[in-house]
Amino acid sequence: MTSPRNPIIVALDVPHLETALGLVQQLAPAVGAFKVGKELFVAAGPEIVRRIRETGAAVFLDLKFHDIPNTVAKAVEAAVRLDVQMLTIHTSGGLAMMQSAQQSAEAAALRTGKSQPLILGVTVLTSLNTNDLAEVGIPHDVGDQVERLANLAALAGLGGLVCSPLEITRLREFLPSKIQLVTPGIRPADSVADDQKRTLTPKEALAAGASWLVIGRPICAAPNPRAAAEAILASL
Ligand code: C5P
């Protein structure tokens, strides 16, 4: 998936297919894609992806695959058959796992005639700090570990990374410019932070070098989600 005209990805963090589809119907003309994460996918299954794709909207399947290379390759192939446009894998699964995922996406797209999804690497989860890394045997600063894994993802041929707003500038200093950066933790200037601690506004994140903005509650929990999405688009 190439860089977007509309960079807003709405996180459909809801537990039911009907609720998600209601949001998709309202929001599709005003946003670039919809993110289906673990909660919705486990509750509603692949059907939710098919139903969103029937509306013509793009789907970001955020299941963060992390397994042996063959298993991840097969999961990616299944995601291509479902016709998703973006999906996530953990870079800490290693170079061979990432290469298998990327090769599987390319081969499955050729074989099925479906579009080749953008594979996004997740580096260090933003819920982890340097102490947490030490506990699992990684004796590095979070920023250095993010940099190491980002370089490995680029080496594996992935097309993008998920990163926090505060990582964008550093990543842009050394990553090839074709790598797309997908950034959650986005809050419009007039919006509450919820549980996000380090946020940028949509415009700041794009200026720093983000390619896509993942936005959940500021749109989905707004009294008028469509108006909230349109206001964010207008602010860019
Ligand atoms: O509601 P909000 O805009 O905070 O939603 C952000 C979305 O991005 C959620 O789906 C959340 O799981 C996801 N996310 C995040 N921070 C990360 C990675 C993903 O908030 N580091």
Side-chain angles (χ1 to χ4, degrees):
M1 186 154 187
T2 51
S3 285
R5 271 181 302 142
N6 183 329
I8 301 172
I9 300 175
V10 175
L12 293 171
D13 294 328
V14 295
H16 301 295
L17 182 136
E18 296 76 18
T19 321
L21 283 180
L23 284 164
V24 170
Q25 266 140 24
Q26 279 182 72
L27 292 168
V31 305
F34 293 95
K35 181 168 90 74
V36 175
K38 289 191 175 88
E39 180 190 16
L40 181 58
F41 193 80
V42 172
E47 184 64 11
I48 184 61
V49 176
R50 292 190 198 101
R51 297 284 293 273
I52 298 172
R53 291 296 295 133
E54 277 167 19
T55 73
V59 171
F60 169 13
L61 187 64
D62 184 21
L63 299 180
K64 298 186 179 70
F65 298 144
H66 187 172
D67 212 309
I68 60 172
N70 181 61
T71 301
V72 169
K74 298 288 186 200
V76 168
E77 186 181 329
V80 172
R81 284 199 300 271
L82 259 184
D83 199 22
V84 308
Q85 280 62 53
M86 309 165 105
L87 63 89
T88 42
I89 65 175
H90 272 286
T91 55
S92 51
L95 185 64
M97 188 202 88
M98 289 191 273
Q99 286 170 330
S100 293
Q102 184 62 33
Q103 283 160 11
S104 173
E106 290 166 15
L110 269 180
R111 204 165 47 244
T112 60
K114 297 277 196 330
S115 59
Q116 184 186 315
L118 175 67
I119 301 200
L120 301 165
V122 174
T123 59
V124 180
L125 293 170
T126 50
S127 52
L128 300 177
N129 62 25
T130 299
N131 283 338
D132 298 315
L133 291 187
E135 269 177 8
V136 294
I138 300 169
H140 303 299
D141 169 74
V142 167
D144 294 343
Q145 183 67 2
V146 167
E147 185 169 333
R148 173 191 295 251
L149 291 171
N151 276 319
L152 203 61
L155 185 67
L158 301 196
L161 290 166
V162 178
C163 70
S164 95
L166 300 192
E167 290 163 359
I168 303 171
T169 305
R170 181 166 172 189
L171 289 172
R172 279 289 176 228
E173 281 167 11
F174 62 87
L175 282 176
S177 57
K178 65 175 189 208
I179 300 262
Q180 298 189 44
L181 295 182
V182 177
T183 311
I186 301 297
R187 286 295 177 270
D190 58 354
S191 148
V192 293
D194 303 304
D195 53 355
Q196 298 282 8
K197 296 205 170 66
R198 290 163 294 158
T199 63
L200 288 185
T201 68
K203 195 172 177 162
E204 286 167 342
L206 290 184
S211 317
W212 295 89
L213 312 170
V214 176
I215 307 176
R217 287 161 291 183
I219 291 176
C220 297
N224 182 338
R226 174 71 175 263
E230 284 170 349
I232 291 171
L233 196 56
S235 77
L236 300 178

